[in-house]
Amino acid sequence: MLADYAVRTENSRGRRFPEPPHRYRSDFQRDRDRVIHSRAFRRLEAKTQVFSRRYSDHFRNRLTHTIEVSQISRTIAAQLRLNTDLVEALALVHDIGHPPFGHAGEKALDAAMREHGFSFDHNLHALRIVEDFELRYAAFRGLNLTFEVREGIIKHSRDYHPDEHPELGEYLLDQRPPLEAQLIDLTDEIGYDTADLDDGYEAHLLAVDQISNFVPHFEHGFRDAQRRYPSAPEKLLFNEALKQVFDRLVSDLIENTRQRVDAAGVRSLEDVRRCPERLASFSPAVEEERKQIKAFLFDNLYFSPALEGEKDDAERIIGELFAHWMEEPDDLPHSYREKSGHEPLPRVICDYIAGMTDPFISQQYEKYCCP
Ligand code: MG
């Protein structure tokens, strides 16, 4: 039973190219499946989230992170009686526009574009992937996803101003996205905050004492686990503590969002859209804790000297390859050379690089920049 304010599949604004309904899959289920069967989705497997394969082959990559976000999002959406098929499609597509080498790669690609008066934004890039780059169907370019999934790709993590992005006019930029899309940015953060604590600990870059000093609920959970399992190894006590942090974030997001929906008197999807602010959020106390965890990860993990080398690699590889193709566009593959006939060359190079996996871009770097 969907809530009154959930997106109803039968009320979808539909696809750009109308298609007959499927015999037994709903439109949002089909969108989810189209994302899973796309090339860009498969490439997430070889893109860095935070740690490259150099550290361990059981740390998160963009694909396993995406699957975790999908799991968390479905759990929360079900509790709020939202459309879990739409939420699943949005979660699975949320990182599809990310370039190789994690956050450092995104920064380096944006910096290279800015030298030519452009910029790189992974949400806008994701929209280009699903609208244009994926070629799977004879009838149209792209995946022909429903309006609600395309809108969610654009609006899940930030608001774009209509004056700055007239090309996004169709996505109702003056309105809030449905709760299904509002959730994704927050579940993304629950996913990576807890996963990065976990992988950071396993990489021996974060210690229990250090986390305990900054994250009170972790400390509380750890002490509690020590009392209950006095002879358990530290890693399992760590897991118990992290589980408590995780559960607190998820439960608070469910509870607080439910309360805010009630308090705002929201009765329909239209009410969600017309609400002056986003309704999915943590309570003020847990929002503070979330910020604390994030600040802790920035100070102790993301900018730690141990990861510095990989950041430098990302900047060097992306910067030099970009410059190489600007100088020698004939070294681009045929399809990209063709595209540069009707699109600015920096944009064409950016699209090419953004789609690459970590190993593929490293090969290209060897080939063109290491004579
Ligand atoms: Mg993500």
Side-chain angles (χ1 to χ4, degrees), residues 221-232 237 240-241 243-244:
F222 196 84
R223 281 180 196 278
D224 184 44
Q226 268 177 325
R227 262 194 307 275
R228 283 187 294 145
Y229 312 104
S231 56
L237 300 176
E240 294 294 329
K243 216 171 72 178
Q244 289 206 16

Side-chain angles (χ1 to χ4, degrees), residues 49 62 65-66 69 94-95 98 188 192:
Q49 174 74 12
R62 282 231 181 258
H65 158 73
T66 293
V69 171
H94 91 278
D95 265 355
H98 272 282
D188 183 26
Y192 68 70

Side-chain angles (χ1 to χ4, degrees), residues 343-355:
E343 273 190 279
L345 183 60
R347 178 61 65 198
V348 172
I349 296 172
C350 177
D351 286 344
Y352 187 37
I353 290 180

Side-chain angles (χ1 to χ4, degrees), residues 32-47:
R32 170 200 63 200
D33 300 347
R34 287 175 187 200
V35 169
I36 290 175
H37 290 273
S38 69
R39 284 181 171 195
F41 184 77
R42 290 197 292 279
R43 287 197 299 259
L44 294 175
E45 181 196 20
K47 292 193 181 205

